[in-house]
Amino acid sequence: QGRTGVTILKGSREMASVDVAALVAALGKKAGFIKAAGQLAKELEEQYSGADEARRTALFEAAKRAASLLRSRYTAIGFWRAGLALFRAADQAFAKSGEAKRGADAAGWVSLADQEIQRLDEADTGAEAAPPPAITPPAPAPPVPPSERTRPTGGIESLLSELIGDVDLQDLARMMEAQGGGGGGGG
């Protein structure tokens, strides 16, 4: 048995058989789900009808696990599409083998996957067709005519006004020259 989960069974004829337990483990990892679902679908299509009951049960449980993972963890559309292919293969395999109960479960999974894919497709299409409304800033306040403007009576504006009014620019230039700041005003 290699790392791919494939075992070669020998008997009257050689048959490649998937290690279902390894594929179930791969389903549990996002990176392995899609590939494992594809391998399970292929196994269901090619080997289910000739498999013994233990193997059929293992394949059924693997498909059931995939459905559970899709409902609980893997919500992206790619996972659902891989699941849908698996569920369709399971539905056909169970129907060919005359297994009504398993067939009903698989039909339910197919329906669920179809609905979820349709919902996700509509959500994607809706998002592209109608972009979210633009956020518009509030309208600016109308300008106040100069005759209605008031002079601030306090705060920083008032303080700055007083300071600027009290500065004698010639005195400021002389002080800067004396301190080595160069004021450039002497000639």
Side-chain angles (χ1 to χ4, degrees):
Q1 177 175 333
R3 294 177 62 177
T4 62
V6 175
T7 304
I8 302 299
L9 300 176
K10 295 187 178 186
S12 58
R13 61 183 180 165
E14 282 193 10
M15 172 174 73
S17 178
V18 175
D19 180 354
V20 178
L23 292 178
V24 170
L27 288 173
K29 297 180 177 90
K30 275 190 174 184
F33 183 90
I34 292 173
K35 184 176 181 182
Q39 289 177 312
L40 283 168
K42 184 176 179 184
E43 181 74 4
L44 282 160
E45 292 166 352
E46 296 175 359
Q47 306 294 330
Y48 190 83
S49 62
D52 61 21
E53 186 53 36
R55 183 149 190 85
R56 286 181 178 200
T57 299
L59 289 166
F60 169 77
E61 291 297 326
K64 184 176 173 181
R65 177 69 179 144
S68 175
L69 288 168
L70 285 169
R71 281 184 286 224
S72 63
R73 275 200 260 173
Y74 306 146
T75 57
I77 196 165
F79 294 113
W80 280 102
R81 286 188 174 128
L84 178 59
L86 169 60
F87 303 148
R88 285 183 175 155
D91 189 32
Q92 290 174 359
F94 302 153
K96 283 181 190 175
S97 297
E99 297 175 353
K101 168 68 173 103
R102 289 180 179 171
D105 287 343
W109 303 331
V110 168
S111 175
L112 175 68
D114 275 333
Q115 290 172 7
E116 191 61 20
I117 289 168
Q118 182 179 357
R119 185 187 70 77
L120 291 169
D121 275 340
E122 287 172 0
D124 285 346
T125 303
E128 292 172 11
I135 299 173
T136 55
V144 177
S147 61
E148 294 179 19
R149 292 183 190 155
T150 59
R151 189 93 179 134
T153 57
I156 191 80
E157 293 88 4
S158 176
L159 179 62
L160 288 173
S161 248
E162 289 175 24
L163 285 174
I164 292 172
D166 291 342
V167 172
D168 182 350
L169 292 178
Q170 288 181 343
D171 282 344
L172 181 62
R174 279 192 294 267
M175 286 188 333
M176 289 176 70
E177 283 180 19
Q179 292 180 354

